[in-house]
Amino acid sequence: MITRDLASQIKKAASWSPSITVTGPRQSGKTTLCRATLPDHPYRSLEAPDDRAFAIEDPRAFLAQFPDGAVIDEVQRVPDLLSYLQGAIDDDPAPGRWVLSGSQNLALIASVSQSLAGRTALHQLLPLSWNEVGRFPNPPATLEEALLSGGYPRIFDQKLDPSDWLRSYVGTYIERDVRAISNVDDLGAFQRFLALCAGRTGQLLNYSSLADDCGITQPSAKSWFSILEASFVAFHLPVFSGKIRKRLIKMPKLYFYDSGLACWLLGIREPEQLVSHPLRGALFETWVVSEVLKHRTHRGETRGLSYYRERGGGELDLVVDDPNGVTLIEAKSAKTPSSSLFDGARRVRSHLDDVGTPSEVVVVYGGDEYRRNSDGSRLVPWQQVHVAAATRDVEVGEEDR
């Protein structure tokens, strides 16, 4: 298995925090990461019925098995265990003893916030970034292959067909995770809802439209989307909230964390289908936005992302707000470099410049040529999306050309 970008953050946290909590989607590699980063720690999974029963029936004795700490997986299955772990940490706050992981964000974070506030370092492990995919032998060679494959580690580690693996993943997700998170009576309707969300990735998150198309109520649509967020399937991107004079759209945008999963839900099974697919642009935008999100999340940066859209005017896929200024990122799936690819982003930059916000423009596109323009804007090929995701003013190196 490859080294994950988050590994350095986990090691750093183990030097000062008595516990570390790692959340993320099922099959994102949390267990492998935690065990590889802290190999001397014993491991227990509360998915196993016997370990779960022991932790429920006698939590003190369960924790006493591990005088020097342990990696405890799927800890949200026994939320009361965290209250007892609080006492164990208070008795011995030595750093790096306990590592907790789980795949249900809201349930786990709620339990951690209540019981381990100030005692744990929180991290998220998302599916593989493109940089991480490139560490495997024979990574996808084309943009279409990259979009279709997505970023779940097992696909690359075991050289699996993405469609076959994702079929099983979706089935397991619907039957196990959805039931565990919420009491959804009609799993068939929920799967239709999931597919409808995939068809809206990169678009405004309109609960009324989703509810009408799925045949459910708007409150149900909101509740079901919260399940997708809690299980790290999809997320919402807020609108930019800087102080400008333009009237902005207030509705968030919907994105999937993994382009491969979105492709599978849309019935896309072969890379060739993506060449002329009507949602090619939306899927590429999803991939670029999720790549930036992964890059930042795996470095402990969980805020500062939004999108820009005026009422009846300019729009921009992604605004990255850092202390040094704002990076404006546009995703264009076209393979031919052209100055017109910068038109929308430059228009938005002019609006931000009017209010004194320093900004730079990066366009990530489906071609192969890297180009830096005289005004500082950059055209970045899809293979080097990490350049857009990285800190402002990072230049592409010779090894990346």
Side-chain angles (χ1 to χ4, degrees):
M1 187 62 185
I2 63 161
T3 300
R4 299 297 300 270
D5 289 343
L6 187 61
S8 61
Q9 295 293 323
I10 300 299
K11 290 178 181 177
K12 182 178 178 181
S15 69
W16 62 268
S17 179
S19 71
I20 303 155
T21 302
V22 182
T23 63
R26 185 176 293 277
Q27 297 294 327
S28 65
K30 299 182 299 296
T31 300
T32 301
L33 170 68
C34 293
R35 299 187 73 177
T37 305
L38 299 168
D40 295 333
H41 282 48
Y43 171 78
R44 291 291 186 277
S45 173
L46 299 184
E47 283 275 279
D50 53 344
D51 284 321
R52 184 166 67 250
F54 187 12
I56 292 172
E57 294 166 6
D58 197 345
R60 285 194 174 90
F62 177 83
L63 294 174
Q65 299 177 97
F66 315 112
D68 297 320
V71 175
I72 304 177
D73 203 359
E74 298 298 339
V75 72
Q76 80 279 350
R77 298 295 299 269
V78 188
D80 289 344
L81 183 66
L82 297 178
S83 297
Y84 294 91
L85 184 58
Q86 173 186 334
I89 290 174
D90 289 345
D91 290 341
D92 184 359
R97 292 181 64 213
W98 301 98
V99 182
L100 315 174
S101 69
S103 55
Q104 294 174 19
N105 189 28
L106 298 183
L108 181 54
I109 295 303
S111 300
V112 166
S113 299
Q114 181 178 355
S115 302
L116 298 181
R119 299 174 179 86
T120 193
L122 291 170
H123 291 281
Q124 292 181 353
L125 182 68
L126 300 177
L128 297 166
S129 68
W130 178 244
N131 253 8
E132 291 173 321
V133 169
R135 295 169 193 161
F136 287 92
N138 304 314
T142 68
L143 171 58
E144 291 74 24
E145 290 175 359
L147 295 177
L148 186 67
S149 298
Y152 284 98
R154 187 164 293 182
I155 292 173
F156 302 95
D157 192 43
Q158 299 182 9
K159 299 180 176 60
L160 303 177
D161 180 274
S163 294
D164 291 341
W165 188 86
L166 288 165
R167 181 185 299 110
S168 299
Y169 183 86
V170 170
T172 302
Y173 169 71
I174 295 292
E175 291 295 333
R176 294 179 59 185
D177 290 3
V178 172
R179 287 187 185 277
I181 295 173
S182 180
N183 185 24
V184 176
D185 295 328
D186 191 343
L187 292 180
F190 185 87
Q191 186 155 0
R192 290 195 302 274
F193 177 80
L194 179 59
L196 285 168
C197 287
R200 287 164 169 76
T201 188
Q203 300 178 24
L204 296 180
L205 177 54
N206 188 323
Y207 292 114
S208 295
S209 175
L210 278 169
D212 290 344
D213 290 350
C214 194
I216 59 177
T217 65
Q218 184 172 328
S220 291
K222 289 183 177 180
S223 174
W224 287 6
F225 189 76
S226 71
I227 294 173
L228 301 186
E229 291 194 295
S231 50
F232 294 94
V233 168
F235 63 97
H236 73 274
L237 186 69
V239 69
F240 179 72
S241 58
K243 296 179 180 179
I244 62 174
R245 299 181 181 88
K246 301 291 182 180
R247 295 182 62 201
L248 301 179
I249 298 289
K250 300 250 169 122
M251 196 177 292
K253 290 181 76 172
L254 183 161
Y255 286 102
F256 269 57
Y257 281 103
D258 188 75
S259 64
L261 179 57
C263 285
W264 190 89
L265 291 165
L266 292 169
I268 301 170
R269 302 291 182 263
E270 300 294 335
E272 293 75 18
Q273 292 177 258
L274 282 163
V275 173
S276 58
H277 197 280
L279 291 180
R280 172 188 171 87
L283 289 167
F284 181 65
E285 179 184 330
T286 295
W287 185 77
V288 171
V289 171
S290 66
E291 283 298 313
V292 176
L293 177 65
K294 292 172 193 174
H295 180 92
R296 293 173 62 82
T297 299
H298 293 163
R299 284 157 179 76
E301 300 167 345
T302 57
R303 299 180 184 275
L305 299 183
S306 61
Y307 81 100
Y308 182 101
R309 187 167 180 176
E310 301 166 15
R311 293 187 181 275
E315 59 181 284
L316 186 80
D317 295 330
L318 191 60
V319 179
V320 183
D321 193 356
D322 281 321
N324 294 329
V326 171
T327 302
L328 310 178
I329 299 176
E330 186 82 338
K332 297 290 187 182
S333 63
K335 295 188 176 183
T336 304
S338 169
S339 60
S340 64
L341 298 178
F342 291 87
D343 290 349
R346 284 171 174 158
R347 177 178 177 180
V348 172
R349 180 169 65 177
S350 70
H351 297 162
L352 296 180
D353 288 346
D354 287 344
V355 294
T357 302
S359 58
E360 72 166 344
V361 167
V362 177
V363 174
V364 183
Y365 80 121
D368 302 320
E369 179 183 342
Y370 179 90
R371 183 183 297 175
R372 191 177 188 99
N373 300 316
S374 59
D375 65 352
S377 60
R378 290 183 286 167
L379 185 67
V380 175
W382 67 273
Q383 302 99 319
Q384 295 160 13
V385 65
H386 64 281
V387 175
T391 309
R392 283 165 57 89
D393 298 327
V394 169
E395 187 61 86
V396 65
E398 288 297 330
E399 70 278 6
D400 295 322
R401 290 188 188 275

